[in-house]
Amino acid sequence: MIRLLKIELQKHISYKAFWLMLLFYALLLAVMIFGIPGLIDYIAEKSGEPSKFRIFKAIVFNFPDIWQNIAFVASARFFIKIVLGIIIIIIVTNEFHFLTIRSNIISGLDKKDFLVAKIELVILLSLFSTLIIFLSGLYLGFMHSASKSVFDVFGKMVFLLGYFIEIFSYLLFCMMLGIIFKRTGITFVVHFVYLIVEPILDHNLNEKFTPYLPLNAINGIIKTPNTSLIKIKSPEFNYDFQEFVSMSDVGVCLGYAALFVGLSYLILKKRDI
Amino acid sequence: MEKILSIENLNKKYGRIHAVNNLNLEINRGNVFGILGPNGSGKTTTLGIILSVINADSGAFSWFGNPNSKEDRKKIGSILEQPIFYPYLSAVKNLRIICDIKGVNYSEIERVLHIVDLFERRDSKYRTFSYGMKQRLAIAAALLGKPEVLIFDEPTNGLDPKGIAEIRELIINIARQGMTIILASHLLDEVQKTCSHVAVLKNGNKLFSGKVSDVLSISDAVELSSNNLELLSLVIKEFEGTTDVNIEKDLIVARLKAGTTIYDLNYFLIGKGIVLTHLAERKKSLENQFLELLTENE
Ligand SMILES: Nc1ncnc2c1ncn2[C@@H]1O[C@H](COP(=O)(O)OP(=O)(O)O)[C@@H](O)[C@H]1O
Ligand SMILES: [Mg+2]
């Protein structure tokens, strides 16, 4: 396991594009997370109703709810996590483009090892992303939260685990696309087209099935938090907020993760490299 | 003799193209085995299958008498079709990855880079290498960890004459150390100069396989001539080292038994007081045979 991860990291540790993209991702995430308080202040000033927004801000960054809020924003499907997805797509398709998967196997990896190494990289990137969320959550919480008791600080940290599982599954999805399509450009196109197609499907399908669409499933663990502006503006707005991590959501998400890995393996195994 | 590789009834089709057609092959330890065939004859496909990057349709192969496993691949150094490396990594970093995969100590890197004369360029990115340097780096990678078998697929393809000469010399030097080598090539010359054994492939079929020296000795003939052709033809029949003597116009063409050299024949004739006006070896080159083999099976 460690050996495969070491091999995998050797491939990227001197790859400038990899570090640049990772840095870009971290910066984007930080700007977003740290930009929110400022943005709220700005809107508050402009709106002429600053008190309402001050309440909103207190709600958003309050322990323990902050964990759901911050994880929800960071895991949004059209948002910054796409940068991580792009990193995985480039890394996977590079192996086909440069034929290096061939030399890996000739040298003594097997196809399973190749896949396991990629999954380990996915885990590492997911951990990295979760760590950023964790640290910025702590910082913002301690800056703005009314309550700072240990109980509240750690109260809903399970959302971080949920976030980790979501991002992990999404990156496996990108890995699978890369393995199927092999070419960087084509994989990008398929990825973005599907990102747009699924919401259209979602719109047209029976509500019973929509949670099981792949992207819905891998975005389904962290539900919309009960701190939206809508809620503030209209208390009578009726929406069933889910403020916990449900095991069935996790199950569906992990089911897809397993499917992505399984398909990737089958395709690699059947294909001539 | 210890079997290194055996291939049984191997088949691979690409649509209607039968790239490898019921191939059987055995390679023993210490062989320098040439796989000779024109472009598209199935050499790379065969090597791809035995290196587990191409799935065969049917048939089997085994390395070192074992069922196929990645552990055996770690004992094989190979170049398949073209050098393959991460372009954005230096030579050393590329070789480190291969060391890690094979479980070989990094200290090997310096040794192999010296062999292929790339040590000075060890920290340059692979992308900046000329094609000849890339090919040499591929050979260096194949040599990592002193593998039991080396596989070279068209190792001189795309090189200039100087590069070709260098790589051939390198292979011959490695072969001298007793390593088992499998060399696929469409160049006769290359196989003739480097290999001990050869299999000739065409359209995925094996036409012939055997020792290179056997192939050559079958058709060795000697041309002789002297002022008195009749006397010469009588005397030469007394010589025990010939199998077959024919008179062709003003030449006598004799075939020599295995183990008999032209020196022996000439020595014998001098002893009999015959002075030759012409003495030449008529070597039917592997090239002619190769071409014949290919056309016979047309
Ligand atoms: N991936 C592929 N798809 C379709 N045909 C292929 C493929 N690879 C090889 N072939 C065909 O198989 C035959 C054998 O090719 P190859 O093994 O590369 O020959 P060689 O190495 O002897 O030049 C050729 O006719 C080639 O066109
Ligand atoms: Mg070839």
Side-chain angles (χ1 to χ4, degrees), chain A residues 202-243:
Chain A
D202 181 279
H203 198 70
N204 292 302
L205 278 177
N206 188 313
E207 261 179 41
K208 259 193 225 150
F209 303 118
T210 51
Y212 301 103
L213 288 170
L215 289 186
N216 285 347
I218 62 180
N219 276 289
I221 296 177
I222 300 159
K223 298 281 197 282
T224 314
N226 185 12
T227 39
S228 69
L229 280 169
I230 310 163
K231 174 92 191 297
I232 305 245
K233 281 200 167 143
S234 49
E236 69 280 6
F237 179 74
N238 192 18
Y239 182 84
D240 207 6
F241 290 103
Q242 180 179 315
E243 296 187 44

Side-chain angles (χ1 to χ4, degrees), chain B residues 38-45 47 80-81 153-154 157 184-186:
Chain B
N39 284 324
S41 57
K43 304 181 295 292
T44 299
T45 307
L47 296 179
L80 193 56
E81 207 153 37
D153 184 14
E154 310 270 11
N157 235 10
S185 177
H186 67 284

Side-chain angles (χ1 to χ4, degrees), chain B residues 12-276:
Chain B
K12 175 72 179 181
K13 278 188 182 175
Y14 290 111
R16 287 177 52 227
I17 297 170
H18 214 143
V20 179
N21 193 347
N22 216 35
L23 182 69
N24 289 282
L25 211 58
E26 281 202 355
I27 296 178
N28 293 310
R29 187 175 291 281
N31 286 173
V32 180
F33 200 102
I35 299 180
L36 181 62
N39 284 324
S41 57
K43 304 181 295 292
T44 299
T45 307
T46 304
L47 296 179
I49 292 171
I50 61 178
L51 290 171
S52 298
V53 291
I54 296 175
N55 298 316
D57 296 337
S58 64
F61 65 90
S62 87
W63 284 107
F64 314 106
N66 306 326
N68 181 24
S69 88
K70 61 181 174 183
E71 293 311 319
D72 284 327
R73 281 204 299 285
K74 293 179 184 172
K75 297 186 266 176
I76 304 166
S78 36
I79 306 174
L80 193 56
E81 207 153 37
Q82 55 178 296
I84 301 174
F85 293 97
Y86 294 91
Y88 46 83
L89 296 183
S90 68
V92 166
K93 282 174 179 162
N94 267 297
L95 294 184
R96 276 190 195 153
I97 293 174
I98 296 172
C99 282
D100 284 338
I101 292 177
K102 286 187 180 288
V104 167
N105 199 294
Y106 286 171
S107 61
E108 274 285 287
I109 293 175
E110 191 176 329
R111 182 183 74 89
V112 298
L113 283 176
H114 278 301
I115 293 176
V116 298
D117 205 13
L118 277 178
F119 187 70
E120 299 304 316
R121 293 296 302 271
R122 63 191 177 281
D123 292 322
S124 303
K125 289 197 165 54
Y126 174 71
R127 147 158 54 75
T128 66
F129 281 11
S130 72
Y131 193 79
M133 292 163 74
K134 288 178 176 175
Q135 195 73 304
R136 295 212 305 271
L137 186 64
I139 292 180
L143 293 173
L144 281 173
K146 306 208 170 77
E148 294 183 33
V149 187
L150 286 170
I151 297 182
F152 295 128
D153 184 14
E154 310 270 11
T156 57
N157 235 10
L159 298 180
D160 59 17
K162 182 165 162 281
I164 291 176
E166 280 171 9
I167 299 257
R168 280 193 191 154
E169 201 184 303
L170 207 67
I171 293 174
I172 290 170
N173 280 335
I174 296 163
R176 280 209 194 103
Q177 294 160 21
M179 220 178 254
T180 310
I181 298 179
I182 303 174
L183 173 87
S185 177
H186 67 284
L187 303 168
L188 241 149
D189 183 38
E190 194 158 284
V191 170
Q192 209 168 13
K193 280 184 183 149
T194 47
C195 297
S196 63
H197 293 70
V198 63
V200 180
L201 247 55
K202 190 198 171 194
N203 294 335
N205 287 293
K206 185 176 80 178
L207 302 183
F208 168 85
S209 78
K211 277 189 181 171
V212 170
S213 60
D214 280 352
V215 179
L216 290 173
S217 68
I218 294 168
S219 43
D220 270 5
V222 182
E223 297 175 351
L224 307 118
S225 186
S226 82
N227 293 337
N228 190 339
L229 211 58
E230 245 166 84
L231 179 64
L232 176 61
S233 72
L234 284 175
V235 173
I236 203 169
K237 276 172 189 155
E238 294 170 21
F239 182 59
E240 289 180 347
T242 53
T243 53
D244 187 22
V245 179
N246 289 307
I247 300 180
E248 292 178 5
K249 284 191 191 163
D250 53 353
L251 280 180
I252 288 181
V253 179
R255 280 183 192 284
L256 298 181
K257 283 182 182 163
T260 308
T261 63
I262 295 181
Y263 174 87
D264 299 332
L265 176 62
N266 200 13
Y267 190 82
F268 172 82
L269 293 173
I270 289 168
K272 294 282 175 185
I274 290 182
V275 179
L276 297 171

Side-chain angles (χ1 to χ4, degrees), chain A residues 2-261:
Chain A
I2 296 294
R3 184 183 81 98
L4 290 178
L5 186 62
K6 187 182 168 210
I7 291 169
E8 187 63 34
L9 290 179
Q10 295 254 36
K11 297 176 183 175
H12 315 305
I13 224 138
S14 310
Y15 186 24
K16 266 203 208 96
F18 174 73
W19 289 109
L20 283 177
M21 287 185 294
L22 215 55
L23 191 69
F24 178 63
Y25 171 76
L27 281 179
L28 212 59
L29 201 56
V31 164
M32 182 213 79
I33 292 171
F34 291 98
I36 290 176
L39 187 70
I40 295 172
D41 289 341
Y42 177 78
I43 297 172
E45 241 170 66
K46 288 262 160 165
S47 70
E49 282 184 285
S51 62
K52 238 178 195 177
F53 282 92
R54 223 163 288 133
I55 297 168
F56 174 65
K57 196 166 151 187
I59 294 171
V60 168
F61 297 111
N62 216 20
F63 285 128
D65 295 323
I66 185 172
W67 297 121
Q68 181 175 6
N69 303 336
I70 202 169
F72 178 76
V73 177
S75 68
R77 71 175 76 176
F78 292 113
F79 215 24
I80 34 181
K81 75 172 178 187
I82 289 178
V83 178
L84 276 193
I86 286 175
I87 295 179
I88 288 294
I89 289 175
I90 289 178
I91 280 173
V92 170
T93 51
N94 267 355
E95 299 268 18
F96 293 98
H97 179 234
F98 299 135
L99 288 174
T100 39
I101 178 174
R102 195 180 236 217
S103 97
N104 287 175
I105 287 170
I106 288 172
S107 302
L109 288 190
D110 58 20
K111 290 174 178 177
K112 194 187 100 216
D113 292 336
F114 179 84
L115 193 64
V116 168
K118 288 285 172 284
I119 294 170
E120 289 180 355
L121 179 70
V122 162
I123 292 175
L124 203 65
L125 288 187
S126 307
L127 282 175
F128 169 70
S129 175
T130 310
L131 183 71
I132 296 181
I133 305 290
F134 170 66
L135 293 177
S136 20
L138 278 185
Y139 177 78
L140 288 175
F142 278 113
M143 294 295 287
H144 302 282
S145 175
S147 159
K148 293 177 176 93
S149 73
V150 175
F151 180 78
D152 280 339
V153 170
F154 291 98
K156 288 190 176 178
M157 233 178 238
V158 66
F159 278 102
L160 285 184
L161 190 62
Y163 175 80
F164 173 80
I165 295 170
E166 279 196 4
I167 200 111
F168 168 70
S169 310
Y170 166 70
L171 294 183
L172 288 180
F173 174 70
C174 294
M175 175 191 81
M176 178 191 70
L177 290 184
I179 287 174
I180 293 176
F181 296 101
K182 296 199 280 191
R183 311 259 298 264
T184 318
I186 295 176
T187 310
F188 280 167
V189 170
V190 172
H191 171 265
F192 285 112
V193 166
Y194 189 71
L195 222 54
I196 295 163
V197 165
E198 196 183 286
I200 299 172
L201 281 178
D202 181 279
H203 198 70
N204 292 302
L205 278 177
N206 188 313
E207 261 179 41
K208 259 193 225 150
F209 303 118
T210 51
Y212 301 103
L213 288 170
L215 289 186
N216 285 347
I218 62 180
N219 276 289
I221 296 177
I222 300 159
K223 298 281 197 282
T224 314
N226 185 12
T227 39
S228 69
L229 280 169
I230 310 163
K231 174 92 191 297
I232 305 245
K233 281 200 167 143
S234 49
E236 69 280 6
F237 179 74
N238 192 18
Y239 182 84
D240 207 6
F241 290 103
Q242 180 179 315
E243 296 187 44
F244 56 92
V245 169
S246 111
M247 274 305 131
S248 70
D249 291 341
V250 170
V252 173
C253 182
L254 285 179
Y256 265 105
L259 183 73
F260 299 150
V261 172

